[in-house]
Amino acid sequence: MTHTVHETPVPAELADLDLLAAARRGVKQLVGLLETLPFTEYTARVAREYLDEAVLVREVFERWAQLDQAEQQRRLRLWRQAAS
């Protein structure tokens, strides 16, 4: 999976959202590849990358889930502004 790279440094509170967004894109890509037979070496590589990052993504998601809704919304607004 490829993570979003910003031109300017991303505040730590927004880096988690970058990682979650990249993970979401990676899951969509992997699902699309798994729906196609036969599996290719590329499919296997994408699956391995997904599994390699799964622990980190879960930790980030757990941090996100611990935030109250107002803080989640605040960070989402900042993240969207930084991405535009």
Side-chain angles (χ1 to χ4, degrees):
M1 285 183 267
T2 305
H3 299 293
T4 304
V5 177
H6 290 278
E7 303 255 338
T8 57
V10 177
E13 64 183 9
L14 301 184
D16 282 356
L17 286 169
D18 277 345
L19 188 118
L20 291 172
R24 182 174 184 236
R25 286 188 303 274
V27 166
K28 286 181 177 183
Q29 177 187 22
L30 181 55
V31 166
L33 292 170
L34 291 173
E35 290 177 345
T36 306
L37 290 174
F39 297 144
T40 65
E41 180 53 37
Y42 179 70
T43 302
R45 183 166 41 100
V46 171
R48 281 197 247 13
E49 289 172 3
Y50 171 78
L51 293 173
D52 288 346
E53 292 185 359
V55 172
L56 177 59
V57 171
R58 182 176 180 168
E59 290 170 4
V60 168
F61 182 79
E62 291 295 328
R63 277 197 303 269
W64 175 259
Q66 294 299 315
L67 300 172
D68 64 39
Q69 187 175 7
E71 180 61 14
Q72 287 178 353
Q73 293 303 313
R74 185 188 75 79
R75 289 185 186 196
L76 278 170
R77 278 192 303 277
L78 289 172
W79 182 74
R80 287 179 179 133
Q81 289 172 355
S84 61

